Amino acid sequence: MKPINIFILDANEIVRRRLQDAVTETTGLNILLSGSSTEHDIRTKIKDAEPDLIVMGIDHHYSEEMRLFNYLRNQHAHLPILVMTPHNRDGATVAITTLKKGAVEFFPKSTTLSGSILTVDFFKERLIPIIKITPRLNRNVLLSQHFVDTAVKKIEPIPDDFFNTSLSRMELLVIAGCLGGVAPLYLLLSSLPKNLPVPIVVVQHMVEIYSKVLAEDLDKYTKLSVKEAEHGEELKAGHVYIAPGDYHTLTYKKDQKIHLTLNHGPKVAGFRPSIDILLKSTAQQFGKRMLTVYLSGGGNDGIEGAKIIDIIGGQIIIQNARTSLLSDIPWKVESYGINEGAYPVERLGHEISKRLV
């Protein structure tokens, strides 16, 4: 098997050294370059070395590193980029911005409290699995430069008068995503009208702080009201609740009203929040009156939940392979024959709406 050739770009020597240790201990991965490069430096180096993947640190939104990221996305859009940021609000803002512009994935490189650089073991656990799936990424999606801001303008929204009653065949809409799921989430939510007759709960594999920044930014793109979920709050139609990083999100009913509960239980398939945890709780509450949408992603979290939703008669639709950056999760759901259709991301809002009325 052809080795995956990697550029590691970060101004911090400790970060580079720990990434190098994590990568060199893994068979099939090869570091071509490890250093801190400017846009001028990287032009020649990319042409000469032809990497398969770039792992780069970006500490601030207005920085040389961000300018380099923009250059790479404009001039080498086929190259997957994994972005590392400090685990703070500035880092979360950088991460969300780069995901909207076509970064494959992000991960924090420092702790939330002390700001110290994370361990080699963390990078092994978080980085190596992403690097290994690089050959399976959909390069056509990568080539969509400035994916979100351009694509949102082309989305055909659901008319505001589509829902002329507050009644719905469903009580709850769940949207689940992993790697590559952030960009299509923007497109999907931007297509839905403000009078959507159900609440939406979103589980996107994301760490704390980043999920809050994602919710705040999504709120600027959609007519729906978007916020990070809070423990015990009542869900309202036309509102979107983003599962907070580092907490599992579950639903329960009280006096015929839907509420959320959060807990810090063990990770499931390596994730907290977990898609499976949410779906198992919603299946018990809503049965046939729930709709689940799977966006781009990999791994196994969400598969057991999909099976349960199918058994109790809930509906499942998925983002199709053509528009998914990584179609592992949608493909697994589809392979079990438990979904009711695979659609391009620009059609998902319309398919949802048809199933609600």
Side-chain angles (χ1 to χ4, degrees):
M1 182 181 294
K2 181 177 179 280
I4 299 173
N5 294 315
I6 305 164
F7 274 15
I8 295 175
L9 307 177
D10 195 284
N12 190 303
E13 184 180 353
I14 297 175
V15 172
R16 298 198 305 269
R17 188 166 61 245
R18 291 184 181 177
L19 285 172
Q20 288 169 208
D21 290 343
V23 170
T24 54
E25 292 177 20
T26 306
T27 302
L29 306 184
N30 180 40
I31 299 174
L32 297 179
L33 172 69
S34 179
S36 176
S37 296
T38 64
E39 178 182 326
H40 180 269
D41 295 333
I42 211 70
R43 289 175 184 267
T44 302
K45 292 176 180 176
I46 283 185
K47 185 180 297 184
D48 292 341
E50 297 184 352
D52 300 306
L53 171 72
I54 295 178
V55 182
M56 65 179 304
I58 306 177
D59 291 353
H60 304 286
H61 196 280
Y62 300 101
S63 63
E64 181 67 27
E65 292 78 17
M66 182 61 89
R67 286 190 289 274
L68 175 57
F69 172 85
N70 289 329
Y71 162 76
L72 291 170
R73 286 298 299 143
N74 281 314
Q75 301 301 320
H76 302 276
H78 66 286
L79 274 177
I81 302 175
L82 307 184
V83 172
M84 305 176 291
T85 71
H87 197 157
N88 54 35
R89 188 173 180 87
D90 284 346
T93 301
V94 167
I96 300 304
T97 299
T98 56
L99 288 175
K100 291 193 298 181
K101 291 185 175 184
V104 167
E105 184 61 292
F106 78 93
F107 54 95
K109 61 178 179 177
S110 63
T111 61
T112 53
L113 296 178
S114 66
S116 57
I117 303 304
L118 288 162
T119 64
V120 173
D121 287 340
F122 170 84
F123 291 129
K124 285 182 182 177
E125 178 184 345
R126 187 73 178 89
L127 175 65
I128 301 304
I130 303 174
I131 292 177
K132 286 183 175 180
I133 59 92
T134 299
R136 302 204 308 276
L137 296 176
N138 185 339
R139 299 306 170 107
N140 289 328
V141 172
L142 281 179
L143 288 166
S144 300
Q145 297 180 22
H146 306 298
F147 182 74
V148 167
D149 287 338
T150 299
V152 160
K153 297 174 183 178
K154 299 178 181 179
I155 289 290
E156 180 184 352
I158 308 301
D160 289 336
D161 60 355
F162 184 88
F163 297 103
N164 53 21
T165 174
S166 60
L167 298 177
S168 172
R169 287 189 292 172
M170 301 293 170
E171 288 186 82
L172 181 68
L173 170 61
V174 172
I175 302 174
C178 187
L179 189 148
V182 169
L185 181 61
Y186 276 85
L187 306 189
L188 171 53
L189 293 183
S190 69
S191 72
L192 297 174
K194 61 182 178 182
N195 61 340
L196 195 78
V198 297
I200 302 173
V201 180
V202 175
V203 178
Q204 173 69 40
H205 291 152
M206 193 162 280
V207 295
E208 59 183 328
I209 302 176
Y210 294 73
S211 53
K212 184 175 181 61
V213 172
L214 173 64
E216 293 171 354
D217 196 58
L218 279 167
D219 192 56
K220 303 171 185 176
Y221 283 77
T222 175
K223 296 178 181 178
L224 302 167
S225 177
V226 186
K227 67 184 297 292
E228 187 178 51
E230 297 181 46
H231 182 72
E233 72 178 315
E234 178 188 337
L235 303 191
K236 299 177 181 179
H239 288 63
V240 182
Y241 304 87
I242 307 295
D246 212 28
Y247 287 89
H248 293 308
T249 300
L250 301 87
T251 61
Y252 67 95
K253 278 188 177 180
K254 182 179 180 182
D255 300 327
Q256 298 304 308
K257 295 180 179 179
I258 310 169
H259 294 261
L260 287 177
T261 183
L262 308 177
N263 71 58
H264 196 66
K267 292 182 179 181
V268 175
F271 296 105
R272 187 174 56 227
S274 161
I275 299 167
D276 280 333
I277 292 289
L278 173 62
L279 292 183
K280 289 175 183 179
S281 75
T282 55
Q284 296 173 3
Q285 302 292 327
F286 304 102
K288 296 179 179 180
R289 292 180 62 81
M290 68 172 294
L291 171 62
T292 303
V293 180
Y294 281 83
L295 302 177
S296 171
N300 292 310
D301 183 35
I303 305 305
E304 290 305 312
K307 293 177 182 178
I308 293 171
I309 296 300
D310 180 60
I311 290 171
I312 56 90
Q315 293 189 37
I316 297 172
I317 61 175
I318 63 176
Q319 182 182 359
N320 69 358
R322 180 179 65 80
T323 62
S324 295
L325 180 61
L326 181 64
S327 56
D328 287 9
I329 289 182
W331 179 85
K332 288 176 184 177
V333 171
E334 191 169 27
S335 69
Y336 284 108
I338 54 180
N339 70 295
E340 299 190 14
Y343 304 97
V345 62
E346 61 268 17
R347 289 296 307 172
L348 284 174
H350 296 266
E351 294 301 325
I352 289 169
S353 299
K354 288 192 296 186
R355 286 166 168 77
L356 298 182
V357 295

